[in-house]
Amino acid sequence: MIDHLPVFLLITPLVSAIFSALISLFSKTEKIQKIIAFIGLSLPFFYLILLFQELSNGTIEYDIGGWTKPYSITLVIDELAFTLAFITSIITFLSFVYSLKCMKNKDGKFYFFFLIMVSGLYGIFLTGDIFNLYVFFELTVVSSYILITYGDKKLSLKASFKYLVIGSLASFFFLLGIGLLYIKIGLLNIEHLSIHIHNIDTQTQIVIFSLFLGAIGIKAAIIPFHAWLVSAHSTAPSPISAILSGITVKTGVYIFIRIFALGFTLQNLNEIIMVFGAITALGGVIGALVEWDIKRLLAYHTVSQIGFIIVGIGAFTSIGVAGGIYHVVNHAVFKGLLFLCAGAIIYRTGTKDIREHSIGKTMPITLITYIIAALSISGITPFNGSVSKSMIESSVYDYPIIWLILVFASIGTVAHFSKILYYSFIKSSNKSKKKMKYQEVPFSMQLPMLILAFFCILLGILPGLWLDNLILPASSSIISGYSAIQIKFLDPLHILKEWIIVAMGLILLKVIIVRSKEIDKLRKLISKFNLNNCIFLMVITLISILIFLRIVN
Amino acid sequence: MINGLNISIILFLVGLYGIITNKNVIKIVMSLSIIGNGVVLFFISLGFVEDSVAPIIIPGVDNIVDPLPQALMLTMIVINLCLTALALTIVIWLYYEFGTLDIGEMK
C-alpha cells in the first residue's frame, strides 16, 4: 500500500470525479456527490502525511508500469513537489468546504470538474516527465476554463474564452520546446534532461529557452504575458478564484523552477528573469491603481506577488530560491484567504464595487481575517509574508535598482490593501440611503477563513517549521552546492523598514483618494487593450528576448 | 526547401498571425487549430527517418521511424480536440449572451 501512495494521490480525486459524474446522471440531490468530493479531497492530505515519513529517507520515485528509468513515466516526490502538493491539498479542501454554502448556481457537474482539476494539480507537481507535465497541465486548465464560467454569467464567459486562447498558445509554445529538447537529447525525463542539457549548442538552447519562457510566462502570468489572469480570476466564483490564484498560477512557477534548474548554459539569464520579475511586481501594483472591483484588485496583486517570487528564483542563490518557494506557500495561504474574504463580502453585499460595501463592524470574522491577510501580504513582521519577502529582498542586495522596485511594489501593496479596508469596512457609503445591516456569513464559510488565518500567523511565527524541513532542502537540491543561510527574524531594523513602508503606503492611499478622477481616465486607456493586442505584445516580447539572447551569447 | 519541419513552422506562424489580426471568435478558434496542426506536423517530422516505414511490427522489417513522437502526438491531438470542442461551446454561449461574434463588441 505505502509503495503505491504516489499513484493513489493522483487517482483518488480522479476516481471520485468519475463517481460523482455517474451519480449526477441518476440523482438530482447533491448530497452523495458532496460526500464523494469530501472523501476525494481529504484523503490526499492523509496520503501526504504518510509520505512525509518516507521523504526523510530521500526522494520517492515511482515508475508507472514497472519500466526501467529513462523509458518509464515516473512520478517523483522531492521536497519541492511535496511542499506544493501539501499546500494544494489544504487549499483545495478548504475551498471545497467554502463552496458548499457560497455557490448557489452550481450543478452536479461542478464537483466533477473540481475533482478533475485537483487531480491535474497533483499530477503537475508529482510527474517526472516533461511531456506528462503538459498533459496534466491541460487537464487542470481545461477544467478551470469550465469552472470559471460558473461565475458572473456574461463576463466569465468572455474571460474563459480569453484564458482558453492564451492558455492554448502557452501549451503550443511548451510543446515546441519539448520537441526541440527531444530531437537534441532523445529523452523526456526531467532528471535526465538536466544531465544532458549542456551538450546542446547555444543557438538551440536560446530558442528552447525563449519558447519555454513564453509558455511559462503565460502560465505564471509574468508581465507582459499576464493579460488573461485578471479577468479570469476576478469573474470566477470566489472559491475557484482562491484555487486559481493560490495554486494554479503557482504551477507555472513550479514548471519555471524545474525548467530553470535544468541548467541552461546561457549568459545573462538570471538578469533577464529578475528584470521580468521586477516589472511584474511593479506592474501588478500599477494595474491595481485604477480598479474599484475588489476581486480585480486582488487578481492584480496576484500578478505583483508572482513578480516577487520570480525575482527570488531569478537571483538563483540559496536564499533567493528558498524565499521564492516559501513565498509560493505563503501566497497560496494569504491570497486564498483574501479571495475567500472577498467572497464573503460579495455573498452578503451582492456587489464587487468597494465603494458600495460599507460593512462597518457587522461582519467581525471577515474583518479580522481580512486584516490578518492584508498584513501578511504587506509583509508586516509577525505574519508569514514578511519572512519570505525579506528573504527575497536580501537576495537582491547586489542589484539596488531591482531592490528599490520591490520596495515600491511593497508600498503600493500597502496602499491598495488599506484602500479596500478603508472603503469596504470603514467608510460609510453615500449611495445607500438606508443603513444596511449585514450578518456574518454561515459557519461553513467562516471555518476555512479562520483556518487559513491561523496558518498565516503560524507560518510567520514559526518559519523554521517549513523552512528547515522542506524548503531549504528543496532549494539546495535545485542549486547544487549548499550555502548556509542566515535568516534574521525579528530584526529591529527590518521592522522599522516595514513600518516606514506602511507609512508611505498610507500617504500613497491619500493621494489615490484625492486624485481618483484622474485615475479614472487612466482606466479608460487601459480598457482599450484587447485580446489581439495582448497576443501581439507577447509575440513581440518573445522575439525581442530571442534577439537579446542571440546578441549577448 | 519544402520539408515537414519548415511547413510546420509556417503553419505555426500563419496561426499566430490569424490570432493577432482576427476579431471574430470563430476565426480565432480556427487559428488555434492551425497552430495545433503545425505542432503535430513538427513532432511527426522530428521522428521522420528517410526510407523507413511506419512503426508497426512486421517480421523482417526493422527500418522504422521514431515511434515516440507519434505516440506523443496522439495524446496531443486528443487534448486539442477537447480544447476545440470546449472553445466552440464557449463561442455558442458567447453568441447567445452578446448577440455578436466580434470580440471587440462584447462589452
Side-chain angles (χ1 to χ4, degrees), chain A residues 69-90:
Chain A
K69 205 152 135 231
Y71 310 107
S72 65
I73 296 171
T74 50
L75 298 179
V76 180
I77 305 182
D78 54 5
E79 280 88 358
L80 177 60
F82 180 85
T83 312
L84 288 166
F86 191 72
I87 199 73
T88 307
S89 73
I90 293 172

Side-chain angles (χ1 to χ4, degrees), chain A residues 271-429:
Chain A
E271 283 78 7
I272 290 177
I273 289 160
M274 280 161 76
V275 167
F276 268 105
I279 292 171
T280 309
L282 194 61
V285 171
I286 293 172
L289 202 65
V290 300
E291 295 298 341
W292 294 107
D293 179 331
I294 183 165
K295 287 182 81 173
R296 283 183 78 88
L297 267 166
L298 295 181
Y300 268 116
H301 277 283
T302 303
V303 177
S304 169
Q305 299 299 312
I306 291 288
F308 277 88
I309 296 167
I310 297 293
V311 167
I313 294 160
F316 216 60
T317 54
S318 290
I319 191 163
V321 174
I325 298 168
Y326 198 43
H327 206 60
V328 168
V329 174
N330 290 339
H331 182 255
V333 173
F334 59 64
K335 191 48 73 70
L337 175 55
L338 281 167
F339 268 114
L340 296 188
C341 284
I345 294 169
I346 295 162
Y347 182 80
R348 282 296 180 215
T349 62
T351 171
K352 285 179 175 176
D353 193 328
I354 56 172
R355 288 168 295 189
E356 293 167 17
H357 283 155
S358 67
I359 295 159
K361 288 174 194 157
T362 49
M363 293 165 74
I365 305 283
T366 312
L367 177 63
I368 291 165
T369 49
Y370 173 77
I371 289 173
I372 290 172
L375 289 173
S376 296
I377 198 173
S378 313
I380 311 298
T381 277
F383 301 99
N384 58 2
S386 72
V387 183
S388 43
K389 260 190 184 177
S390 66
M391 282 165 82
I392 290 168
E393 281 173 10
S394 64
S395 72
V396 290
Y397 282 148
D398 298 341
Y399 306 89
I401 296 171
I402 288 173
W403 183 80
L404 208 63
I405 290 174
L406 290 189
V407 170
F408 277 126
S410 298
I411 293 170
T413 309
V414 173
H416 288 130
F417 282 93
S418 38
K419 177 167 124 185
I420 298 177
L421 186 68
Y422 176 69
Y423 279 102
S424 283
F425 291 101
I426 298 169
K427 193 169 180 276
S428 57
S429 171

Side-chain angles (χ1 to χ4, degrees), chain A residues 255-276:
Chain A
I255 299 171
F256 181 72
I257 298 172
R258 288 283 186 226
I259 298 288
F260 198 44
L262 285 179
F264 287 95
T265 53
L266 297 173
Q267 302 291 319
N268 294 75
L269 277 192
N270 292 18
E271 283 78 7
I272 290 177
I273 289 160
M274 280 161 76
V275 167
F276 268 105

Side-chain angles (χ1 to χ4, degrees), chain A residues 156-206:
Chain A
S156 67
L157 273 172
K158 201 182 160 194
S160 173
F161 184 76
K162 202 172 174 182
Y163 187 11
L164 194 149
V165 172
I166 299 178
S168 318
L169 210 57
S171 301
F172 294 137
F173 282 134
F174 197 64
L175 274 174
L176 282 186
I178 293 173
L180 281 173
L181 272 180
Y182 179 74
I183 196 175
K184 289 290 170 185
I185 297 178
L187 288 169
L188 292 170
N189 190 305
I190 293 175
E191 196 187 331
H192 286 251
L193 286 178
S194 63
I195 300 169
H196 296 289
I197 199 159
H198 60 90
N199 295 328
I200 303 176
D201 56 309
T202 316
Q203 304 259 349
T204 320
Q205 274 196 33
I206 291 170

